Amino acid sequence: TAATDFSVFQDLESEVRSYCRKFPIVFHRAKGAELHGEDGRVFIDFFCGAGTLNYGHNNDFIKRRLTEYLAADGIVHGLDMHTVAKREFLNTFAEVVLRPRDLDYKIQFCGPTGTDAVEAALKLARKATGRTGVVAFTGAYHGMSRGSLAVTGSRRARRAGGIGPSDVTFVPYEDSPQGTFDSVGYLERLLADPSSGFEIPAAVIVEPMQMEGGIYPASPDWLRSLRALTERHGILLIFDEIQAGCGRTGTFFCFEHAGVVPDMVTVSKSIGGYGLPLSLTLFRRDLDVWEPGEHTGTFRGNQLAFVAATAALDLWRQTKFHTDLAVASRRLDRFRTELLDPAIVTRGRGMALGIDLAGAGGPERADLVQRHAFEHGLIVELCGRHDEVIKVLPPLTIDIARLDRGLDVLRDALHSTRN
Ligand code: PMP
């Protein structure tokens, strides 16, 4: 029947397609925290486009703004022109995000993806400092283009992309499957020692909480010491907030927990509010050394995404949004104490939870948990070096009853896969 027909995907779509292989279903509708299959099955979505749907699917508040805009023949493609939608987004972003945090950044609209924001940040950091080196961290995920892949810590993806030796130096993230490491102290040693051969890099790029790497939140102390080190040596500090940002950890930016201010920030995924493509690179005003036209792109600054993003920020400023979010976050946090298996390690912050099965069945069990969850109506993805960590990312707007139902399925899946 049409309801289970995958043949066209197998026939025509490249083998590179990824997540969809794990979910043998064709979806066609979604609302809030739920995805509907064309065969009538309904799933709770704890994947959320890897952090793209913080406001849930087809959020009514945002949808109303979009439909009004379309009904009034608002511009859909503006190719960098000054538009009303862009102006409203910039004004709202300044009012809701920048000013309350005393952030004096300029904003560059990048191509539609997070990768584009990372590319722009790396290019600008190199241009502004006149240096080429970049420091990145093991376990990092910053994108799949050659520039962003060069700072992504996956041997498999780098080999597939033909990335050879480059001007990127990898050092261990604060915490990793190998344990904790004083990488800031290590970098300090290298920089202070003229015999090291280690040149001062243009930038350090880091996720304040590694998401694809396995849900590793950096401690405030570590981020502060990284800030102090980069300041001492005139190295630009880039925070990649593409997946952990836009409220996922409770604050708008994940780095707010540490009380430090980076020189550049990359933002994408949920900034588009409705799953619409938008990506931004924010940087200190004095770093805006671009000449007009030095970094362009046809699909940067999608107008519908501006409308949705402005509406999403209007939601973000509502008190009720935050009281509901606090309740949901507490519920997710409590789930960690309910697992009752000391071999299972959990990490997370706000509405991001990683359930690490490295010492409790490993990737094989994580795969079984994911399958069991799918069969019982829950979509959940895996992350970590070997896909050994279950990544729980419900929409920030999920109601407690659905959150509970999803967590019940997850608990059962963990239970039934114990050996
Ligand atoms: N940085 C981080 C932290 C990400 O999680 C991702 C996407 N998973 C990217 C960059 C790349 O974003 P995109 O897939 O939109 O290119």
Side-chain angles (χ1 to χ4, degrees):
T1 69
T4 52
D5 186 0
F6 305 108
S7 56
V8 71
F9 305 113
Q10 277 150 357
D11 180 32
L12 287 183
E13 199 181 351
S14 163
E15 294 305 315
V16 81
R17 65 193 192 281
S18 57
Y19 305 113
C20 54
R21 291 170 189 279
K22 298 178 169 185
F23 306 119
I25 185 166
V26 181
F27 294 107
H28 77 139
R29 275 192 319 116
K31 187 74 191 168
E34 284 180 352
L35 279 162
H36 295 244
E38 65 174 350
D39 57 4
R41 276 185 289 169
V42 182
F43 295 81
I44 294 176
D45 187 1
F46 277 7
F47 175 34
C48 279
T52 308
L53 295 158
N54 284 4
Y55 303 93
H57 294 270
N58 289 303
N59 183 292
D60 281 327
F61 182 85
I62 304 174
K63 182 161 72 179
R64 202 173 319 120
R65 297 273 196 94
L66 280 169
T67 47
E68 280 165 13
Y69 186 79
L70 283 169
D73 284 336
I75 293 170
V76 173
H77 181 73
L79 194 60
D80 238 18
M81 300 290 195
H82 297 142
T83 62
V84 170
K86 191 199 263 192
R87 185 174 60 203
E88 284 179 357
F89 172 74
L90 284 170
N91 280 330
T92 308
F93 191 77
E95 202 178 305
V96 177
V97 178
L98 297 181
R99 265 184 242 127
R101 293 166 184 77
D102 260 334
L103 298 171
D104 192 22
Y105 291 136
K106 289 191 84 173
I107 300 168
Q108 178 176 350
F109 296 112
C110 303
T113 69
T115 297
D116 296 306
V118 171
E119 286 289 345
L122 294 174
K123 274 174 74 173
L124 185 61
R126 287 173 167 130
K127 182 172 159 67
T129 59
R131 301 178 215 134
T132 54
V134 172
V135 169
F137 293 90
T138 55
Y141 188 95
H142 298 294
M144 286 287 124
S145 64
R146 285 180 64 92
S148 61
L149 187 53
V151 289
T152 289
S154 158
R155 266 185 212 143
R156 178 171 169 260
R158 293 157 61 81
R159 281 185 191 143
I163 302 283
S166 74
D167 45 18
V168 175
T169 305
F170 277 93
V171 292
Y173 196 66
E174 181 187 27
D175 191 10
S176 75
Q178 283 77 38
T180 55
F181 182 74
D182 178 17
S183 38
V184 179
Y186 171 77
L187 285 170
E188 186 61 277
R189 281 271 185 107
L190 290 180
L191 286 164
D193 186 342
S195 76
S196 75
F198 182 64
E199 298 286 345
I200 296 182
V204 171
I205 183 163
V206 65
E207 294 159 86
M209 168 150 126
Q210 285 192 340
M211 302 295 284
E212 296 302 329
I215 312 283
Y216 287 95
S219 70
D221 276 350
W222 190 74
L223 291 176
R224 280 197 283 267
S225 65
L226 199 52
R227 176 67 284 188
L229 171 98
T230 47
E231 234 159 43
R232 259 196 310 278
H233 296 278
I235 303 165
L236 298 177
L237 181 60
I238 307 170
F239 282 168
D240 182 341
E241 289 268 343
I242 288 167
Q243 192 167 158
C246 299
R248 179 52 62 185
T249 65
T251 47
F252 190 83
F253 293 117
C254 179
F255 69 75
E256 289 173 56
H257 296 283
V260 296
V261 177
D263 303 300
M264 295 189 180
V265 190
T266 56
V267 186
S268 188
K269 291 192 187 267
S270 277
I271 191 70
Y274 204 72
L276 287 166
L278 186 62
S279 82
L280 319 175
T281 305
L282 317 177
F283 38 82
R284 263 175 25 209
R285 230 159 236 288
D286 60 299
L287 293 175
D288 194 10
V289 296
W290 290 121
E291 300 283 338
E294 274 186 337
H295 187 97
T296 60
T298 301
F299 284 107
R300 56 183 200 163
N302 179 294
Q303 305 294 310
L304 287 183
F306 284 144
V307 175
T310 305
L313 291 173
D314 284 337
L315 261 183
W316 176 260
R317 54 175 147 192
Q318 292 176 9
T319 309
K320 175 150 182 2
F321 183 91
H322 290 276
T323 41
D324 291 350
L325 176 56
V327 172
S329 303
R330 274 199 299 276
R331 175 67 195 95
L332 191 59
D333 201 43
R334 202 171 73 232
F335 180 70
R336 298 167 68 170
T337 64
E338 293 166 4
L339 290 177
L340 303 176
D341 178 351
I344 297 179
V345 174
T346 59
R347 294 179 294 272
R349 190 175 277 152
M351 290 297 275
L353 171 66
I355 302 170
D356 191 333
L357 300 182
E364 293 76 20
R365 182 169 173 208
D367 179 65
L368 291 175
V369 168
Q370 186 182 37
R371 282 171 203 272
H372 185 285
F374 176 76
E375 277 151 27
H376 293 81
L378 176 71
I379 302 285
V380 72
E381 234 308 90
L382 307 178
C383 61
R385 271 50 164 190
H386 306 284
D387 279 349
E388 73 282 18
V389 181
I390 298 158
K391 180 160 79 164
V392 183
L393 300 182
L396 308 186
T397 51
I398 193 169
D399 57 286
I400 294 300
R402 274 199 190 75
L403 181 58
D404 269 331
R405 276 219 315 274
L407 293 175
D408 285 346
V409 173
L410 201 51
R411 196 186 304 98
D412 286 349
L414 284 161
H415 228 263
S416 69
T417 53
R418 272 187 319 200
N419 49 25

